[in-house]
Amino acid sequence: MKRIGIITSGGDAPGMNACIRSIAKYCLNNKIDPVGYFDGFDGIIDGRSIDLCFSDVDNIVQKGGTILGTARCEEFKTKEGRSKAISTLKGNNIDALICIGGDGTFTGANILSSEMDIPVIGVPGTIDNDIAGTDYTIGYDTALNTVIEAVDKIRDTAGSHHRIFFVEVMGRNAGFIALNSAIASGAETVLIPEELTDIDAIVLDLKEQSKGRRSSIVIVAEGDDGGGAKEIMDKVSPLMQRYSLRCSILGHIQRGGSPSAFDRILAGRMGAFAVEQLQNGVYNVMVGIKGGRLITCSIEDGIRLNSSPDLSKLELLRNLRTLG
Ligand code: ATP
């Protein structure tokens, strides 16, 4: 193992830099050259890369985003695109590739590994936490904390004006951020893709809860079957004409910011662990953390099994409401 390629791909997530740093430093301290490719699979196809040295990755552990850049690369979904990528990797004498990203990145990495003899390893980096092969993905904890901070502020104004706020958070397919931020921010209701949304039941519940409090917060995952926060509010509005309703879409602030301690430590551990696996001849797997311990599992298994939050927390939320 002489040269290891690294990409960050898909949506950016806080802690990706801490992971790049960990991989690069672990490599350099073990006489391996770390090569960073810019903008995910795009950079491999185009041959845009940097031979990383210590100074490139110093002072980035605290930075959000990714110094390598990321992209959603359509060309990589074609056989021709992947052939170009393989030529680049071979031309650059890359012995293994580490892909930091979400389930899409892992799907691409898995297909690539089946088409070439260069080992591949996936490190879960996405704010969505929707990869079954790990309890936590890099970036999720920071995003959750960002949401909580924002909802705390919204609650201040909601309380002052006696309003019901529908707050939209990220989560196209999974309700991890929505459900856990709802519990942590003391929200009254949460709508997630894993549970069918019943508008009449929401209205009834909000009316009941409004008897005992000045304001309410409804957290809505962007991928909820009933629609986003604006759509839900528009459906609820005619049934609650005497109430003051507002919606707030948190959007891309959820991706940014300095990573939390949890994400920095997770990224540091996973990055070094990935290189260690390659040194030990373990590859074409993803790394993950289960019950606090670093593990590997096949990429296929890691993304095939459905990943959903602990739905018993819905019952917890219902029992934490203020009624009557
Ligand atoms: P996030 O969870 O933050 O959205 P992600 O890794 O799931 O991250 P995607 O945009 O779904 O983000 O995937 C990242 C990239 O992986 C895509 O732009 C594409 O280059 C590659 N990819 C995704 N699906 C495939 C596929 N079926 N075949 C080949 N490559 C793929």
Side-chain angles (χ1 to χ4, degrees):
M1 201 56 58
K2 292 269 178 256
R3 282 167 72 74
I4 292 181
I6 309 162
I7 59 164
T8 48
S9 164
D12 64 316
M16 280 183 161
N17 280 327
C19 191
I20 295 166
R21 170 183 179 268
S22 166
I23 295 167
K25 289 202 172 192
Y26 194 94
C27 282
L28 291 166
N29 285 321
N30 285 277
K31 307 214 172 335
I32 299 168
D33 297 333
V35 181
Y37 286 91
F38 293 109
D39 304 328
F41 293 117
D42 262 346
I44 307 185
I45 290 174
D46 305 341
R48 289 180 289 117
S49 64
I50 177 173
D51 280 27
L52 293 165
C53 58
F54 281 114
S55 62
D56 294 313
V57 294
D58 275 333
N59 297 322
I60 65 166
V61 73
Q62 77 283 17
K63 288 187 178 155
T66 156
I67 58 160
L68 292 177
T70 183
R72 302 197 193 267
C73 173
E74 284 306 308
E75 194 180 357
F76 192 75
K77 292 183 178 169
T78 67
K79 180 104 177 129
E80 296 72 39
R82 291 194 298 276
S83 297
K84 285 191 208 167
I86 293 168
S87 302
T88 304
L89 295 172
K90 289 201 180 292
N92 292 169
N93 298 317
I94 297 296
D95 297 314
L97 178 67
I98 299 180
C99 302
I100 308 166
D103 57 338
T105 299
F106 280 14
T107 303
N110 203 32
I111 297 171
L112 187 68
S113 73
S114 68
E115 293 173 349
M116 67 174 187
D117 52 6
I118 299 172
V120 173
I121 200 155
V123 178
T126 167
I127 64 165
D128 295 334
N129 207 39
D130 58 351
I131 296 182
T134 185
D135 289 344
Y136 295 104
T137 58
I138 297 165
Y140 165 66
D141 181 69
T142 308
L144 195 56
N145 281 294
T146 301
V147 169
I148 292 163
E149 206 183 315
V151 174
D152 287 349
K153 288 174 180 163
I154 290 170
R155 193 182 279 289
D156 288 344
T157 175
S160 304
H161 285 271
H162 311 269
R163 282 179 173 149
I164 296 172
F165 260 86
F166 295 80
V167 182
E168 184 176 309
V169 304
M170 283 189 175
R172 269 172 297 166
N173 307 306
F176 285 95
I177 293 180
L179 183 52
N180 287 303
S181 68
I183 289 175
S185 65
E188 279 60 48
T189 306
V190 66
L191 310 180
I192 55 174
E194 290 84 356
E195 193 189 50
L196 278 180
T197 291
D198 178 342
I199 296 292
D200 291 332
I202 293 168
V203 169
L204 214 65
D205 191 56
L206 286 172
K207 283 184 177 171
E208 193 57 37
Q209 292 201 62
S210 72
K211 289 178 191 164
R213 50 182 309 122
R214 290 164 67 89
S215 64
S216 292
I217 301 283
V218 180
I219 303 280
V220 184
E222 62 179 327
D224 186 69
D225 62 285
K230 172 82 171 62
E231 259 179 284
I232 300 280
M233 187 181 75
D234 288 346
K235 287 176 188 169
V236 167
S237 187
L239 306 170
M240 297 191 78
Q241 290 182 2
R242 284 181 37 246
Y243 296 79
S244 175
L245 311 182
R246 292 290 184 276
C247 90
S248 176
I249 297 167
L250 298 189
H252 285 82
I253 61 159
Q254 294 165 88
R255 288 197 178 282
S258 183
S260 65
F262 182 91
D263 276 332
R264 294 183 201 193
I265 294 165
L266 184 67
R269 290 179 73 195
M270 282 184 168
F273 186 67
V275 182
E276 219 172 64
Q277 298 311 300
L278 290 170
Q279 284 178 311
N280 294 335
V282 179
Y283 51 83
N284 299 347
V285 293
M286 61 163 281
V287 304
I289 191 159
K290 288 275 179 186
R293 292 186 53 202
L294 292 168
I295 53 111
T296 59
C297 73
S298 83
I299 295 179
E300 267 170 19
D301 284 347
I303 56 180
R304 187 179 52 210
L305 306 166
N306 272 346
S307 176
S308 79
D310 176 359
L311 297 183
S312 70
K313 288 178 182 165
L314 286 169
E315 196 48 37
L316 170 64
L317 200 71
R318 285 181 192 116
N319 280 309
L320 297 180
R321 289 173 304 170
T322 301
L323 292 175

